[in-house]
Amino acid sequence: MMGPAHSLSGATAWLGVGAVAALTGHPMPWPVVLVGALICAGAALAPDLDHKAATISRAFGPISHGLCEIVDKLSYAAYKATRMPGDPRRSGGHRTLTHTWLWAVLIGAGTSVLAIAGGRWAVLAILFVHMVLAIEGLLWRAARGSSSDVLVWLLAATSAWILAGILDEPGKGADWLFSSPGLEYLWLGLPIILGALMHCLGDALTVSGCPILWPIPLGRRRWYPVGTPKGMRFRAGSWVELKVLMPAFMLIGGVGAVVALNVV
């Protein structure tokens, strides 16, 4: 799928989690619903760090473009080192290492550790990065073009500062789910894991599939492209994605937000 659909799917997934939490009697504080949805929307773009032409490669200028080149090479090296006889030869690392459940878990866990060990500035950095990605994904028409980059970064930095301040208030979410002293913001890794997994599931709907189960071997392949039956798949950016999936994500996400925030 393309960047906007990935971001929408991530936000929708977190709003769905918030709705389930509310229905089971454990509602999230509203800042957790909002921040989690934005982080998840941003994290749903992150697996495309292995693609030099993806939305994330443009998000932070030369820094993100250079990082994408490095991740592409690392992913390709991981593919070559672990491929089995049934895995085809390929020339790049796109849709390999960063499109797996293991990568999602490791990135999410690493983020949680960083948030705890690094304190407020680490939390602000995590929020800033994912706010930028969320803006790039959800507001892609307005954010497109190098002339808007500085405005996007300023909006993301301001949003991160304000949201972190709100979360730090008693009962507003810094200690949501993990209330023991010293574990504030441990939950930040959860929307990141969910966003990365939603990206993988979205790519599994397309014609190429997604090796989300790596490194678990399936038959003679370790990089098996998991997906729906071939006749049900579509090309990224096709009318199915634009006219069916994206409106469905918006509708489901809206319902999830209403339930999660106990609006009705």
Side-chain angles (χ1 to χ4, degrees):
M1 291 198 298
M2 305 296 286
H6 280 309
S7 284
L8 271 177
S9 71
T12 298
W14 186 259
L15 293 172
V17 171
V20 171
L23 292 173
T24 55
H26 303 282
M28 297 177 181
W30 71 264
V32 174
V33 176
L34 174 60
V35 173
L38 291 171
I39 291 176
C40 207
L45 295 180
D48 275 344
L49 268 173
D50 61 4
H51 189 2
K52 291 178 286 186
T55 300
I56 191 173
S57 73
R58 303 186 298 271
F60 300 96
I63 295 175
S64 54
H65 188 74
L67 181 59
C68 284
E69 291 186 348
I70 293 171
V71 173
D72 176 40
K73 290 180 172 59
L74 289 175
S75 298
Y76 181 50
Y79 182 86
K80 290 196 300 181
T82 62
R83 64 184 290 267
M84 294 176 64
D87 292 313
R89 295 185 179 276
R90 55 184 304 150
S91 58
H94 182 47
R95 286 200 184 181
T96 54
L97 183 61
T98 61
H99 288 67
T100 65
W101 70 270
L102 183 58
W103 175 273
V105 171
L106 290 177
I107 291 298
T111 300
S112 291
V113 171
L114 178 63
I116 295 174
R120 180 172 177 78
W121 288 108
V123 170
L124 286 171
I126 293 167
L127 292 178
F128 169 72
V129 168
H130 289 88
M131 292 304 110
V132 169
L133 295 179
I135 294 169
E136 292 281 356
L138 297 175
L139 303 177
W140 62 280
R141 289 186 185 277
R144 177 168 291 183
S146 58
S147 61
S148 65
D149 286 346
V150 175
L151 293 178
V152 170
W153 299 337
L154 288 174
L155 176 58
T158 304
S159 301
W161 187 271
I162 294 172
L163 291 171
I166 295 173
L167 288 168
D168 282 338
E169 296 176 9
K172 290 297 180 66
D175 60 350
W176 174 71
L177 200 60
F178 303 98
S179 57
S180 300
L183 297 183
E184 292 84 4
Y185 292 109
L186 181 62
W187 62 270
L188 284 182
L190 298 178
I192 291 174
I193 293 173
L194 181 59
L197 291 177
M198 289 303 297
H199 182 109
C200 294
L201 292 175
D203 280 353
L205 298 175
T206 64
V207 292
S208 300
C210 183
I212 186 172
L213 295 179
W214 181 89
I216 301 171
L218 292 177
R220 300 175 64 251
R221 304 185 69 171
R222 196 181 301 277
W223 296 90
Y224 186 85
V226 175
T228 55
K230 292 292 180 67
M232 297 176 61
R233 300 186 189 186
F234 57 87
R235 294 189 178 279
S238 70
W239 68 270
V240 176
E241 180 178 332
L242 300 176
K243 303 296 184 181
V244 179
L245 289 182
M246 290 181 67
F249 289 148
M250 287 188 279
L251 176 61
I252 297 170
V255 172
V258 167
V259 175
L261 297 173
N262 196 26
V263 175
V264 293

